[in-house]
Amino acid sequence: MEKIEHTTVTTNGINMHVASIGTCPVVLFLHGFPELWYSWRHQLLYLSSLGYRCIASDLRGYGDTDAPLSPASYTAFHIVGDLIALLDKLGIEQVFLVGHDWGAMIAWYFCWFRPDRIKVVINLSVPFFPRNPTLDLAEGFRASFGDDYYFLRFQEPGEAEEDFACVDTAILMKKFFSIFGPNPPMIPKEVGVRGLPTPDALPSWLSEEDINYYATKFKQTGFTGGLNYYRVSHLNWELTAPWTGLQIKVPAKFIVGDQDIVYNIPGVKEYISGGGFKRDVPCLEDVVVMEGVSHFINQEKADEVSAHIYEFMNKF
């Protein structure tokens, strides 16, 4: 870990913290919620040892990267714009792109907006969901799960932050790392995150040191930046209307655990296995479903995921 270099890069009007290690060719990793560059620590070390230059930033709103207050500053265009500016600043023309959770969502947007900058995309947990012209993401979740679904509980500015403040940040991180699958996380307003189960022990893939790293950063910055990705979902839906029906035409691989919250959303398994995913991502070359694995797959099965990433990149 001490070999990983940490720098701050001015990009698209913000200061972005960037962790990197290794030499070319370049792999760009995008994390999700509630995570940081640190979630890719295993992949950075694994793939850099095989000759890749691995880059993982704290995305806008997270960790040591600037966090504008307004949710409107977190659209897909802002986040992809940050990444394009980062590549330009570093003099990088194309990357192997790897995303997880919200990072996977951003990676799909990246493929939509600037496919010329991507060699291949390897996404974890979240498949490409084509834009529904009549229903945005939040309303789709409301129809499926009701108002207590976590995605909807994160919508109102300040509300989730106040709720989170009632729980020690380290305990909150333990809760988050244990609830995302297979059942939908529900957070009734009258109970809040205090009602989420706290695991008796950490899973083997997560240490107290890991929890403390996350907790320290989120204590410093708060959760508003990360929550703004949820709060801007309707605006993203409005702004991406011109891309309705557009396929992803970048060579792609998808990896998911069968206990993942996303994989167990009604209809998702059928979409992935029944031809819908391949229709919308015609260059989808491989789908890997790992048995008994939950949402934080890049940490839970670090070496296996790293090997899958390497195997696919090595074809190109």
Side-chain angles (χ1 to χ4, degrees):
M1 290 288 285
E2 66 275 4
K3 294 181 180 178
I4 296 174
E5 298 180 0
H6 296 270
T7 57
T8 299
V9 179
T10 301
T11 168
N12 196 27
I14 63 170
N15 295 310
M16 175 175 281
H17 167 240
V18 179
S20 63
I21 183 173
T23 56
C24 292
V26 178
V27 190
L28 180 63
F29 295 91
L30 311 180
H31 68 79
F33 178 91
E35 300 181 85
L36 303 162
W37 76 269
Y38 187 82
S39 297
W40 297 109
R41 60 198 180 279
H42 303 298
Q43 286 71 39
L44 265 64
L45 298 178
Y46 186 106
L47 293 168
S48 64
S49 73
L50 296 173
Y52 288 88
R53 181 183 180 188
C54 299
I55 298 174
S57 70
D58 289 331
L59 293 178
R60 174 183 289 239
Y62 285 94
D64 294 319
T65 293
D66 288 349
L69 290 177
S70 171
S73 295
Y74 289 80
T75 71
F77 295 95
H78 288 85
I79 311 303
V80 174
D82 295 343
L83 299 170
I84 291 293
L86 174 64
L87 298 185
D88 289 346
K89 197 74 173 281
L90 298 178
I92 299 167
E93 185 59 33
Q94 280 194 321
V95 296
F96 295 102
L97 187 62
V98 184
H100 169 255
D101 188 74
W102 270 108
M105 292 280 285
I106 296 302
W108 293 125
Y109 283 124
F110 201 142
C111 293
W112 250 2
F113 303 159
R114 292 300 303 271
D116 59 303
R117 305 301 293 268
I118 305 168
K119 294 178 182 177
V120 304
V121 62
I122 303 162
N123 268 337
L124 283 54
S125 179
V126 181
F128 174 69
F129 293 119
R131 182 182 182 275
N132 183 333
T134 62
L135 192 69
D136 74 7
L137 195 60
E139 291 309 310
F141 286 142
R142 193 185 309 277
S144 295
F145 302 116
D147 290 339
D148 287 343
Y149 190 58
Y150 81 100
F151 193 103
L152 300 171
R153 281 282 164 250
F154 291 174
Q155 292 297 308
E156 185 64 31
E159 189 173 288
E161 290 91 331
E162 183 177 348
D163 183 27
F164 291 0
C166 296
V167 178
D168 176 78
T169 307
I171 293 175
L172 186 61
M173 298 309 300
K174 292 177 182 179
K175 289 174 180 282
F176 281 146
F177 279 120
S178 65
I179 65 167
F180 284 98
N183 299 317
M186 310 299 282
I187 307 178
K189 190 172 184 178
E190 61 273 14
V191 178
V193 292
R194 288 168 294 177
L196 296 174
T198 303
D200 295 329
L202 291 175
S204 60
W205 52 270
L206 196 63
S207 69
E208 289 290 346
E209 182 183 2
D210 298 330
I211 289 292
N212 289 336
Y213 185 88
Y214 287 112
T216 298
K217 293 300 180 183
F218 280 104
K219 281 180 182 177
Q220 291 172 355
T221 64
F223 289 89
T224 298
L227 291 166
N228 280 341
Y229 287 68
Y230 295 87
R231 293 166 180 163
V232 80
S233 61
H234 181 77
L235 182 56
N236 276 332
W237 178 77
E238 289 183 339
L239 294 174
T240 55
W243 284 264
T244 302
L246 186 67
Q247 295 173 315
I248 297 290
K249 294 186 177 179
V250 172
K253 179 170 183 167
F254 180 67
I255 308 170
V256 68
D258 68 355
Q259 299 301 299
D260 194 305
I261 173 185
V262 181
Y263 190 65
N264 287 279
I265 292 173
V268 169
K269 293 178 187 177
E270 295 76 13
Y271 171 71
I272 290 171
S273 63
F277 194 11
K278 179 68 173 178
R279 177 197 64 225
D280 297 326
V281 187
C283 297
L284 179 67
E285 297 190 17
D286 194 14
V287 172
V288 176
V289 181
M290 293 187 176
E291 293 185 6
V293 182
S294 192
H295 182 68
F296 297 97
I297 189 169
N298 50 324
Q299 299 183 75
E300 185 175 348
K301 293 293 181 182
D303 285 349
E304 290 179 51
V305 167
S306 296
H308 276 298
I309 294 170
Y310 174 71
E311 176 189 28
F312 191 61
M313 294 192 305
N314 203 37
K315 296 179 180 179
F316 299 87

